[in-house]
Amino acid sequence: MSALEDDSASSTSAALNLVRDNVLELLKGFDSPPKRLRIQAGGVTLEAEWPQSPPAVNGAVPQPVAAPAGPAEATAPARSDDGPHEVRAPSVGTFYSAPKPGAEPFVKAGDVVVKGAQIAIVEVMKLMIPVEADVTGKVARTLKSDGDPVEYDEPLFHIVPQGT
């Protein structure tokens, strides 16, 4: 690769990272999941589409799509039973348990994780969205394999919470 091609690839990567960060920040402001998002900057167009949330049942409000929150902002959804806590997909996309192909997974069953730690990635249209533990505890089970498609809010991990 020539120096010119290397600079171009680096500039493209930096631009995509900037777009990703701004899109994630934009998504935090939505009260409910958007149906579709289209961003155009110069000659680059980014389009994303989400499945529509099911209608409210018995007054329950569907969960909004949100960008992953930082450790101080993350909140764990209430558990309705005494089973393990479920870490859910932040978006529709493709599940990856490791930072790159062939690398060790972020976590395995039996690992202890702290709230806010990255434990996986969901890729949607070349956007890598980190999946973070929203509780401190022991990973009981990984529910998806590398490359599995995931839906928004689908369970990805079971974590047995530990003291705060």
Side-chain angles (χ1 to χ4, degrees):
M1 183 180 279
S2 71
L4 182 58
E5 290 172 324
D6 194 33
D7 287 345
S8 176
S10 178
S11 295
T12 301
S13 178
L16 288 174
N17 285 334
L18 181 60
V19 169
R20 180 197 66 219
D21 293 345
N22 285 304
V23 167
L24 291 174
E25 189 63 33
L26 174 69
L27 288 174
K28 286 181 184 178
F30 285 103
D31 290 333
S32 62
K35 179 179 180 183
R36 190 171 186 183
L37 177 66
R38 182 174 189 227
I39 298 174
Q40 188 169 0
V44 176
T45 302
L46 171 71
E47 292 186 51
E49 197 166 326
W50 289 266
Q52 290 303 289
S53 297
V57 177
N58 297 331
V61 178
Q63 293 292 325
V65 169
E73 298 172 278
T75 57
R79 291 186 349 209
S80 60
D81 60 10
D82 292 328
H85 174 78
E86 292 180 336
V87 175
R88 298 177 164 272
S91 173
V92 72
T94 305
F95 176 84
Y96 294 107
S97 63
K100 62 183 181 180
E104 287 293 314
F106 288 103
V107 296
K108 298 179 285 249
D111 288 351
V112 174
V113 295
V114 296
K115 183 176 179 179
Q118 183 172 356
I119 58 176
I121 296 170
V122 172
E123 176 192 4
V124 57
M125 296 180 64
K126 302 295 180 189
L127 250 130
M128 302 300 176
I129 302 172
V131 176
E132 296 177 348
D134 48 9
V135 296
T136 296
K138 185 181 281 190
V139 177
R141 188 169 163 210
T142 301
L143 304 172
K144 293 291 179 180
S145 298
D146 272 341
D148 282 354
V150 297
E151 294 294 326
Y152 166 69
D153 206 34
E154 183 175 357
L156 303 176
F157 293 91
H158 283 166
I159 295 179
V160 177
Q162 296 181 344
T164 54

